[in-house]
Amino acid sequence: MRRSFRARGARGTRGLVVCGVALVAVGGTTSLAGAAGAPEADLSYHGTAVLRRGLLDVRLTPYDHGPSAVPDATVRLKWSAPLADRQRLPGGCVRTGVREVVCRTGALAADGVGERIALVLRLRGRPQEVTLALDTVWGGGTVDRNRANDRQRVLVLDTGDPYSF
């Protein structure tokens, strides 16, 4: 009887550990990591988005406002309109959904600027406008207590004009 009880308990514990890891992976930088003494960094992204006849040109630069360096991070870009089926993505970027792409930032020094990420994507159809949402998915094991500046939403109209964020 004791064996079966221990076996069930071990399975239950293992399930909790897996769920906890999944929450951290999906939630990105979390305060749970801060409780464990993880270094703190403040990530943000600045750039432009241009929409012209269904073609979306996005250029963004990651920033780490410190106080700690970030070994690598992942930024998610999500659009209100679906992407065309075929896309040519730069190295370090991968499509993760019908409307979503994630890109790695590479290492970011404390109070440093990262390499520019440039994407040219085709949207399905020719929407007159699209909303672009950006946020950090993973912060390289750092904690970001100021999530307001790494989460952005930008309305981009099909005018060929650059919209800054």
Side-chain angles (χ1 to χ4, degrees):
M1 197 87 166
R2 277 188 155 181
R3 280 186 187 172
S4 62
F5 178 75
R6 286 183 184 159
R8 270 197 307 263
R11 274 196 309 263
T13 302
R14 188 171 50 239
L16 289 174
V17 171
V18 169
C19 287
V21 170
L23 286 173
V24 171
V26 171
T29 54
T30 67
S31 59
L32 292 175
E40 186 174 340
D42 184 16
L43 299 173
S44 68
Y45 308 96
H46 302 284
T48 60
V50 177
L51 178 60
R52 179 178 293 138
R53 295 186 294 260
L55 196 62
L56 187 60
D57 185 349
V58 178
R59 301 185 187 273
L60 66 111
T61 303
Y63 292 82
D64 175 10
H65 301 286
S68 300
V70 176
D72 201 356
T74 306
V75 60
R76 173 179 28 220
L77 299 97
K78 192 171 186 175
W79 294 270
S80 59
L83 299 170
D85 291 336
R86 292 185 174 210
Q87 301 291 333
R88 296 183 79 191
L89 298 173
C93 294
V94 66
R95 187 171 180 173
T96 56
V98 174
R99 301 167 193 244
E100 188 175 291
V101 170
V102 295
C103 297
R104 66 184 297 248
T105 65
L108 300 167
D111 292 320
V113 179
E115 295 289 320
R116 185 176 77 174
I117 299 169
L119 300 156
V120 179
L121 303 163
R122 185 155 305 283
L123 298 172
R124 198 174 293 159
R126 286 190 172 174
Q128 295 297 308
E129 65 183 40
V130 65
T131 301
L132 166 61
L134 296 101
D135 70 323
T136 301
V137 178
W138 180 67
T142 62
V143 175
D144 189 341
R145 298 189 195 286
N146 179 15
R147 296 300 309 270
N149 63 349
D150 71 315
R151 293 180 177 162
Q152 305 224 17
R153 292 181 60 87
V154 154
L155 176 64
V156 185
L157 304 177
D158 186 3
T159 61
D161 296 321
Y163 291 84
S164 298
F165 54 88

